[in-house]
Amino acid sequence: INTYNQGSKKESYSGASLLNLSLLSGSSNDIVGFNASLPFNAIEIVVNSGVSLLSSTKIYYAVIKEYCAGPVLECNTSTKMNLPAFPMTIDPVHTGMSGVSVGGVLNAENAISANENDFATIDLNVGLLASGSLAIKDQVTDYPAGTYAGFEIENTSLLSLAALGNIVVSTYLNGDKKEEFSGTNLVANVALIPSGGRFKLGFVSAKEFDEVKLSINQTLGVNLGTTKVYGAVFENFCAGPALSCNTKTALTSPIYP
């Protein structure tokens, strides 16, 4: 996909660097493109031959999306960062797999869907050394230090504190990594769901960020299977009211951070 301004090429992206690139994943129509960083007044799509599975490509129309800032995060409340409330996208640069015959990251766009029960999956093949990552970026807002950055996920193989060592949560700002935590350094509520189910994990940032990445790392001989990723979760911590004198006070959210 190329953009032009007054006949001069401005930007060009192809292959896996394109957002929503899922031409081989299903029969429905797909939208492919990228987030422009330069002004443009024309868009070009080029389809190269050589992929035997694709005999023809139907092109319906050009699509342009304007990103607008989402609402201010509510105090002391976990907020699912999804469309259309927030201008979230999947970052293809920081999303994908490493290793040989390792599985895949499937239906990544579901992690920013308006339906909170939709999920992407990170699938790791049994017993292989592999890593899968999914990154979600806010295209407008930079979140300040002190904001909780995390994910809501589901995988019964990751419910123990020892298993948390296979999970890494990272933050980025304008494409540059800012922080990274794993294992017991992550704030997780797995102890509350010993029988399985969805749980949140992440950390309170010490640096500004606009993107959060989840990585699942599998070592040799370990089977982590499929991790369902429901989306990114952010939280803004705000001071609660002053404690009443000589009175026991329950420190609960969202009144207190």
Side-chain angles (χ1 to χ4, degrees), residues 62-87:
V63 175
I64 298 176
K65 177 189 287 187
E66 179 183 7
Y67 293 111
C68 302
V72 175
L73 297 179
E74 294 185 27
C75 284
N76 309 322
T77 302
S78 295
T79 301
K80 172 76 179 297
M81 307 301 293
N82 56 2
L83 296 169
F86 296 91

Side-chain angles (χ1 to χ4, degrees), residues 4 21 24 26 33 49 52 62 68 73 77 92 109 118 123 129 150 152-153 156 167 178 204 207 217 223 257:
Y4 295 82
L21 185 62
L24 300 176
S49 62
S52 60
C68 302
L73 297 179
T77 302
E109 293 294 322
D118 280 349
D123 297 326
L129 181 64
E152 183 175 12
I153 68 173
T156 55
I167 303 176
K178 292 302 176 181
V204 179
K207 298 181 180 180
N217 302 313
N223 178 22

Side-chain angles (χ1 to χ4, degrees), residues 242-250 256:
L243 298 178
S244 300
C245 289
N246 308 318
T247 303
K248 294 179 180 179
T249 302
Y256 292 93

Side-chain angles (χ1 to χ4, degrees), residues 117 231 238 245:
N117 291 317
C238 308
C245 289

